[in-house]
Amino acid sequence: MKIAVIGTGYVGLVTGVCLAEVGHHVTCIDINEEKVEKLRKGIPPIYEKGLDVLMIDNIDRNRLKFTTVHKEGLSDAEVVYIAVGTPQSADGSADLTYIYQAAKDIGEHVNRDVLVVTKSTVPLGTNFQVKEIVEDHVKGPFKVEVASNPEFLREGSAVYDTFNGDRIVIGTETEEAAAILEKINEPFDIPVLKTSITSAEMIKYASNAFLATKISFINEIASLSEKVGADISDVAKGVGQDHRIGSQFLNAGIGYGGSCFPKDTQALVRISEEVEHDFKLLKSVIDVNARQKTTLFEKAKKRFGTLKGMRVALLGLAFKPETDDMREAASIEMANALTAEGAEVIAYDPIAMENAKKVLPESVQYAENIENAIKDATVVFILTDWKEIKEKALLFSSLFMKKPIIFDGRNCYSQEETEKVQVEYYSVGRSAVNERAIHDSNKQLAASF
Ligand SMILES: NC(=O)c1ccc[n+]([C@@H]2O[C@H](COP(=O)([O-])OP(=O)(O)OC[C@H]3O[C@@H](n4cnc5c(N)ncnc54)[C@H](O)[C@@H]3O)[C@@H](O)[C@H]2O)c1
Ligand SMILES: O=c1ccn([C@@H]2O[C@H](COP(=O)(O)OP(=O)(O)O[C@H]3O[C@H](CO)[C@@H](O)[C@H](O)[C@H]3O)[C@@H](O)[C@H]2O)c(=O)[nH]1
């Protein structure tokens, strides 16, 4: 099939590349010339495992093209995917500016009957607006159909997820439109759920809201566990072994971040308000997450009194491992709080440092490896559970720091391992380790700054 994809971000690029991989002829369109220039050379502008190989392969096979000229990609396309951003507006709702512009672009440039498929996460009713805008701008007697085909990929495993998804949701007004999308997706061999457009739009928000709820729930249990002396790792394991609950998304930590959960939970609250529904549960999920983001910093404040003048190592900057995405990363709030406190921050991330430099305070310094980040530091904060950080941070802290102290926002280590290497260790939902042994000497250390 001849397919156009508008937007080459995490979703558009992965979708375009994977559709080409299963045999479709795909043109990806983006307004960002620099991005398209890179893409044409086979260089993905994002870090995503396995994407570069598939991209180059499909460019070579002439099944995948990139352009900034909408007409080039749209005039001949039978199916057009919209995968532009839907960022959070000032009032929390989804900003649909890019969606409306993409719909206008489609209307102005298509030259045949077209099926417009929305992959972007959009509020209920948006697909009908897209249809209206496209119809208002088409320059011929072309039939316009729309479909909601929400995307469930996770950053860091986006290619894998596209070929191994749990379901493909197809929301359409007609059986014909659904049949076209089923045919396109047939090679992926993933179960298809056909629904109305509105239900498909709701499935995406409900899925993200539910996963965010699981995280805030386990973080609340973690806070409680700390107070009553339970261990959240054991608690989450025991809870998750119940198949009705499931073990995934029960990792307590410094809260959820990223390009989706924060904005999509806020957007769903706004969607609810528009129909006069007070979504109390989701509002609490958001509040708990906001509080969770500050817990590690508060613990450190309690431990030291002040962090003024201290050299603090931040390990892991991306919002999660295996991505260079800094959107709503916990490191942003932490770096801001530490800098405001007067701490000297030295940061390390295996992949996200270039992106981090654009959003972290200017005073933050960057180390080229874990060892350099921690060797002169008084305290280490772990914010992203990269494999490399999990493997090295504890050992290196015990070897290279004078009095090793770690605040771990991702529970990377067991209590036993930290006890063994004599590291003073604070995590989430578990009691502190080696706290008393060196507490007093460190208090004196803090007082000397
Ligand atoms: N990132 C994820 O993991 C993920 C997963 C599932 C769903 N989603 C949803 O998918 C959508 C896209 O997310 P993303 O992270 O890929 O966005 P992104 O911001 O990384 O990329 C969007 C791209 O669209 C381009 N663009 C904007 N307007 C355009 C236009 N008129 N014509 C051509 N290109 C245009 C931008 O230049 C940009 O490159 C959002 O609605 C998001 O909520 C994202
Ligand atoms: O047990 C957990 C699991 C995740 N997180 C955090 O939650 C955030 C989101 O993680 P994850 O869901 O793995 O990453 P995303 O790439 O943001 O993917 C989510 O958001 C996408 C965009 O809508 C959806 O497509 C995916 O299905 C959905 O998982 C990150 O900050 C994680 O650190 C936790 O704190 N504890």
Side-chain angles (χ1 to χ4, degrees):
M1 272 221 162
K2 284 187 183 150
I3 294 174
V5 180
I6 304 188
T8 61
Y10 288 84
V11 170
L13 182 56
V14 173
T15 301
V17 169
C18 293
L19 286 173
E21 175 65 14
V22 298
H24 301 293
H25 285 88
V26 182
T27 304
C28 293
I29 308 162
D30 205 292
I31 43 174
N32 184 328
E33 291 192 10
E34 203 183 316
K35 233 183 209 184
V36 170
E37 203 47 50
K38 271 190 169 176
L39 290 165
R40 281 201 185 114
K41 291 181 191 148
I43 307 167
I46 51 169
Y47 175 79
E48 200 57 65
K49 220 185 302 169
L51 187 61
D52 48 354
V53 177
L54 289 189
M55 223 177 101
I56 294 166
D57 211 37
N58 283 286
I59 294 173
D60 288 349
R61 288 184 196 188
N62 262 329
R63 288 202 299 238
L64 181 63
K65 283 193 219 141
F66 297 97
T67 182
T68 51
V69 183
H70 285 84
K71 191 173 174 199
E72 219 174 88
L74 292 174
S75 58
D76 210 19
E78 298 158 269
V79 177
V80 182
Y81 283 80
I82 299 181
V84 298
T86 48
Q88 190 175 319
S89 306
D91 69 353
S93 62
D95 177 352
L96 297 176
T97 314
Y98 302 110
I99 294 283
Y100 296 150
Q101 182 57 46
K104 199 165 160 242
D105 293 335
I106 297 169
E108 280 170 357
H109 298 294
V110 285
N111 232 341
R112 60 192 299 171
D113 293 350
V114 67
L115 171 62
V116 179
V117 183
T118 305
K119 273 249 157 231
S120 302
T121 304
V122 292
L124 286 80
T126 306
N127 275 274
F128 299 125
Q129 289 177 299
V130 166
K131 186 174 186 186
E132 251 179 67
I133 297 171
V134 179
E135 282 175 340
D136 282 351
H137 289 83
V138 280
K139 297 196 176 74
F142 309 130
K143 190 171 157 210
V144 177
E145 287 244 48
V146 287
S148 166
N149 174 214
E151 179 54 64
F152 300 101
L153 64 77
R154 296 160 300 173
E155 288 182 24
S157 54
V159 174
Y160 175 87
D161 289 348
T162 305
F163 286 98
N164 299 278
D166 292 328
R167 75 304 205 191
I168 291 174
V169 174
I170 296 176
T172 56
E173 289 178 300
T174 67
E175 208 24 72
E176 292 75 36
I180 294 172
L181 269 174
E182 272 188 293
K183 185 107 194 85
I184 290 175
N185 287 295
E186 208 171 53
F188 293 106
D189 197 21
I190 292 171
V192 168
L193 176 67
K194 291 190 276 180
T195 69
S196 70
I197 286 182
T198 310
S199 297
E201 290 169 336
M202 183 61 110
I203 286 168
K204 177 62 197 175
Y205 278 109
S207 302
N208 276 0
F210 188 78
L211 292 170
T213 303
K214 255 187 131 175
I215 298 170
S216 278
F217 182 83
I218 204 67
N219 282 334
E220 279 285 63
I221 296 291
S223 302
L224 199 54
S225 293
E226 267 179 46
K227 289 186 176 151
V228 300
D231 180 324
I232 194 61
S233 307
D234 291 338
V235 173
K237 197 169 174 191
V239 171
Q241 277 177 353
D242 185 328
H243 285 109
R244 294 169 303 172
I245 297 171
S247 59
Q248 294 194 56
F249 280 74
L250 289 183
N251 294 320
I254 34 169
Y256 58 78
S259 66
C260 293
F261 288 174
K263 82 169 171 67
D264 291 347
T265 46
Q266 290 283 2
L268 189 52
V269 168
R270 293 287 100 77
I271 290 165
S272 308
E273 280 169 3
E274 270 171 35
V275 290
E276 288 169 17
H277 180 78
D278 185 10
F279 202 151
K280 288 185 181 154
L281 176 61
L282 194 53
K283 285 181 184 166
S284 298
V285 166
I286 295 167
D287 287 347
V288 168
N289 197 55
R291 193 179 63 194
Q292 199 66 15
K293 282 181 165 181
T294 65
T295 53
L296 214 57
F297 180 72
E298 295 304 331
K299 268 185 202 169
K301 283 267 286 180
K302 204 167 153 205
R303 165 66 181 81
F304 293 110
T306 174
L307 286 101
K308 192 161 189 258
M310 275 190 191
R311 191 171 163 90
V312 178
L314 284 195
L315 299 185
L317 304 174
F319 82 91
K320 67 175 212 175
E322 302 300 331
T323 182
D324 59 352
D325 200 337
M326 284 293 295
R327 287 180 280 186
E328 299 284 333
S331 61
I332 301 174
E333 197 159 322
M334 184 62 84
N336 284 335
L338 288 167
T339 312
E341 179 79 2
E344 186 191 347
V345 178
I346 175 135
Y348 171 74
D349 187 284
I351 298 289
M353 288 205 285
E354 282 317 305
N355 285 341
K357 285 175 190 166
K358 297 174 202 157
V359 290
L360 297 190
E362 267 186 22
S363 60
V364 172
Q365 302 162 55
Y366 295 87
E368 61 209 11
N369 53 41
I370 297 177
E371 185 183 333
N372 285 352
I374 65 175
K375 71 175 183 230
D376 296 318
T378 307
V379 55
V380 169
F381 282 83
I382 297 177
L383 303 182
T384 317
D385 44 344
W386 283 95
K387 189 166 176 277
E388 181 192 345
I389 292 173
K390 286 203 284 193
E391 280 170 3
K392 295 181 180 166
L394 180 63
L395 179 67
F396 283 11
S397 302
S398 74
L399 289 177
F400 304 129
M401 289 173 78
K402 275 182 237 143
K403 288 183 188 301
I405 308 175
I406 297 180
F407 285 82
D408 181 357
R410 298 295 179 182
N411 289 0
C412 291
Y413 307 109
S414 70
Q415 309 289 87
E416 294 73 31
E417 345 173 45
T418 52
E419 213 162 314
K420 234 186 267 168
V421 291
Q422 276 298 300
V423 168
E424 189 178 341
Y425 181 67
Y426 301 85
S427 53
V428 181
R430 306 182 298 182
S431 53
V433 177
N434 293 322
E435 185 184 19
R436 280 217 192 108
I438 40 183
H439 186 82
D440 291 338
S441 55
N442 275 318
K443 255 195 164 166
Q444 280 163 17
L445 180 72
S448 68
F449 285 102

